[in-house]
């Protein structure tokens, strides 16, 4: 039987399923997909806290609903860093990333047209959860490689030690669950 962690996210009660990362560590899985209410409220609250920005950058895939909703509410553009190069992509800008929730190292890509949207712009990096910070670091590097300046880094949840960081904006702390 599954175990859950109960918490408030953007003022809403939610149950997050606990998942084993290893024999010594569980995480509570925050899946924003299908939760329109949390997505809309989180976007509102993060926009209220975010610094001034011109464009939003997120990674495929769990940050997309949040980035879209923040773009919709703010009237700004958003760019998605893809996990693979698509046929339509030319003059691709890429960076490597290793995340706690993904088994293998990944590469994030944006095509030249999307990179132009970041050039000389203040970029707001958006993600659902910041944990180890590796995805965030890759998005920062991607923004800089494309000629943008990172104006801020926001997420709905900061997991584990990420909650102690002073360079990110988040709504709630998400604990890690260590096993004996």
């Amino acid at each position: 039987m599954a175990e859950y962690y109960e918490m408030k996210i953007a003022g809403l009660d939610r149950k997050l399923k606990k998942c084993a990362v290893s024999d010594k560590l569980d995480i509570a899985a925050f899946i924003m997909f299908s939760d329109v209410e949390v997505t809309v409220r989180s976007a509102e609250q993060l926009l209220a806290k975010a610094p001034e920005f011109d464009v939003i950058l997120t990674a495929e895939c769990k940050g997309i609903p949040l980035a879209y909703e923040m773009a919709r509410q703010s009237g700004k553009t958003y760019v998605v860093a893809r996990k693979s190069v698509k046929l339509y992509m030319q003059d691709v800008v890429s960076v490597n990333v290793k995340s706690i929730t993904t088994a293998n190292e990944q590469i994030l890509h944006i095509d030249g047209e999307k990179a132009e949207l970041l050039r000389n712009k203040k970029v707001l990096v958006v993600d659902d959860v910041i944990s180890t910070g590796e995805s965030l670091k890759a998005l920062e590097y991607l923004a800089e490689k494309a000629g943008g300046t990172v104006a801020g880094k926001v997420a709905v949840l900061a997991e584990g030690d990420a909650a102690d960081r002073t360079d990110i904006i988040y709504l709630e702390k998400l604990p890690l669950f260590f096993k004996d």
Side-chain angles (χ1 to χ4, degrees), residues 141-159:
Y141 184 51
L142 193 60
E144 291 165 4
K145 254 182 119 170
T149 302
V150 175
K153 300 166 274 194
V154 303
V156 178
L157 304 176
E159 185 174 52

Side-chain angles (χ1 to χ4, degrees), residues 15-170:
K15 289 182 177 182
L16 308 182
K17 187 184 288 188
K18 286 186 178 181
C19 302
V21 173
S22 69
D23 337 348
K24 298 184 190 268
L25 176 65
D26 286 353
I27 61 170
F30 174 55
I31 311 300
M32 191 173 262
F33 294 134
S34 305
D35 197 335
V36 175
E37 191 176 26
V38 162
T39 303
V40 170
R41 288 251 195 110
S42 295
E44 288 170 357
Q45 291 180 19
L46 286 170
L47 283 169
K49 294 180 167 199
E52 185 181 324
F53 66 94
D54 301 310
V55 63
I56 294 168
L57 176 64
T58 195
E60 188 176 38
C61 68
K62 291 189 325 181
I64 294 173
L66 180 62
Y68 165 81
E69 183 59 24
M70 290 177 74
R72 189 190 69 76
Q73 289 181 24
S74 68
K76 306 283 174 92
T77 301
Y78 76 104
V79 172
V80 176
R82 305 296 305 265
K83 290 182 180 177
S84 61
V85 176
K86 306 299 178 188
L87 291 175
Y88 66 84
M89 297 172 88
Q90 296 179 349
D91 302 321
V92 176
V93 178
S94 304
V95 296
N96 293 348
V97 61
K98 175 71 175 112
S99 166
I100 190 172
T101 55
T102 307
N104 300 315
E105 184 174 80
Q106 297 177 15
I107 303 174
L108 295 178
H109 315 272
I110 55 174
D111 75 345
E113 288 180 16
K114 299 299 183 195
E116 276 303 312
L117 294 173
L118 304 179
R119 186 175 318 287
N120 299 319
K121 296 290 194 300
K122 291 182 261 182
V123 179
L124 184 65
V125 176
V126 172
D127 209 347
D128 60 334
V129 178
I130 296 172
S131 186
T132 63
E134 291 303 311
S135 298
L136 190 69
K137 196 181 307 176
L139 287 169
E140 287 181 85
Y141 184 51
L142 193 60
E144 291 165 4
K145 254 182 119 170
T149 302
V150 175
K153 300 166 274 194
V154 303
V156 178
L157 304 176
E159 185 174 52
D161 291 342
D164 297 330
R165 292 178 60 163
T166 58
D167 66 323
I168 62 172
I169 296 166
Y170 62 92

